[in-house]
Amino acid sequence: MRILLVEDNDRLAAVTADALRAGGFTVDRVADAGQAEDALAASRFEAVVLDLGLPDRDGMELLRDIRRRYACPVLILTARDGCNAIVDGLNAGADDYLLKPFRVEELVARLRALLRRPGTALDVVLRQANVEVNSATRAVKVSGAELRLTRKEVGALELLVRRNGQVIAKSTIEEALYGFDDEVSDNAIEVLIHRLRKKLEGAGAGVDIHNLRGIGYLLTETSR
Ligand code: CA
């Protein structure tokens, strides 16, 4: 789940991004409205966390723009007193809000709730054969036993299970798991999927990941 964090306070942005990453999200950080517009035009995000007090433009205006052009949910952050900014924000199409200062754990919980809303069709526990992926806790189980995976391995498995039976392009996996600033080698996804496949196989998972060369990956149930 890739999140765009728009926050000009560097320290707050760093702490928030770390908490979101620990919560299993992929995070891109930008510090003003101009950068946010560029990021939204370049990539697909599952949600936007938007500070309303930005240096280059009124955050409320940016919110209206995002709402007009993109479908992803927006959670606004505001330090402004009183309810006016919140009411204005919700009227302008924000899906949720937090008043500063907030607990980062609360932000993670609110984002998960937003992404679980009907319409986004995100169930918490995804199942395929004897494999379970809990999209909130990031725990993976095979036949009820926990399988230890890295954060990116869980992310890739989650995408494959969600697209059950459909081919998913390598670039889609790459976009979902890596932020702008991450160094991604040419074969990073191949290596990641290879390791994931080995771990699943070792745990007796009833699923196979097929590599369709030049096209992408496909998860199917094994015929065993
Ligand atoms: Ca600010």
Side-chain angles (χ1 to χ4, degrees):
M1 300 283 113
R2 192 164 171 183
I3 307 291
L4 181 65
L5 172 63
V6 190
E7 169 62 68
D8 59 311
N9 179 319
D10 194 53
R11 209 180 59 82
L12 179 61
V15 171
T16 305
D18 283 349
L20 291 173
R21 289 188 185 112
F25 295 102
T26 300
V27 183
D28 283 307
R29 258 174 72 183
V30 295
D32 62 39
Q35 290 172 17
E37 283 167 345
D38 291 346
L40 285 160
S43 289
R44 201 180 151 267
F45 294 93
E46 268 76 33
V48 179
V49 176
L50 172 65
D51 173 31
L52 289 179
L54 294 172
D56 58 334
R57 213 179 140 196
D58 181 12
M60 204 70 80
E61 233 180 76
L62 175 63
L63 169 63
R64 285 191 198 94
D65 267 12
I66 295 173
R67 219 12 4 118
R68 262 197 299 275
R69 299 166 60 186
Y70 305 100
C72 60
V74 180
L75 186 152
I76 51 175
L77 304 175
T78 178
R80 296 176 198 182
D81 290 335
C83 304
N84 287 352
I86 296 164
V87 172
D88 289 350
L90 294 173
N91 282 336
D95 296 272
D96 202 355
Y97 68 91
L98 277 176
L99 279 177
K100 291 182 183 179
F102 56 87
R103 287 171 53 244
V104 284
E105 295 83 2
E106 173 147 31
L107 175 62
V108 171
R110 296 277 195 97
L111 273 176
R112 281 186 184 141
L114 267 186
L115 292 166
R116 277 202 296 272
R117 275 187 192 171
T120 50
L122 296 179
D123 282 335
V124 181
V125 180
L126 309 161
R127 290 184 186 83
Q128 172 115 32
N130 60 351
V131 178
E132 269 184 31
V133 182
N134 187 312
S135 60
T137 65
R138 318 305 291 164
V140 173
K141 288 180 179 175
V142 176
S143 297
E146 191 170 339
L147 175 63
R148 293 186 66 87
L149 298 177
T150 65
R151 196 168 61 79
K152 285 194 165 47
E153 287 165 357
V154 176
L157 181 62
E158 181 183 359
L159 285 171
L160 285 159
V161 172
R162 283 193 194 286
R163 297 284 190 94
N164 168 22
Q166 278 178 292
V167 176
I168 179 161
K170 191 175 125 184
S171 59
T172 306
I173 299 178
E174 198 173 291
E175 260 213 18
L177 300 186
Y178 293 89
F180 287 135
D181 300 332
D182 291 329
E183 292 282 332
V184 191
S185 64
D186 275 353
N187 65 347
I189 301 297
E190 271 96 338
V191 172
L192 176 75
I193 297 288
H194 178 76
R195 278 200 319 255
L196 175 59
R197 188 190 281 131
K198 286 276 173 221
K199 288 185 184 178
L200 288 169
E201 208 178 283
V207 295
D208 273 339
I209 303 171
H210 303 274
N211 182 0
L212 309 166
R213 294 215 178 275
I215 303 173
Y217 296 93
L218 172 70
L219 185 89
T220 61
E221 297 196 6
T222 51
S223 40
R224 282 196 294 275

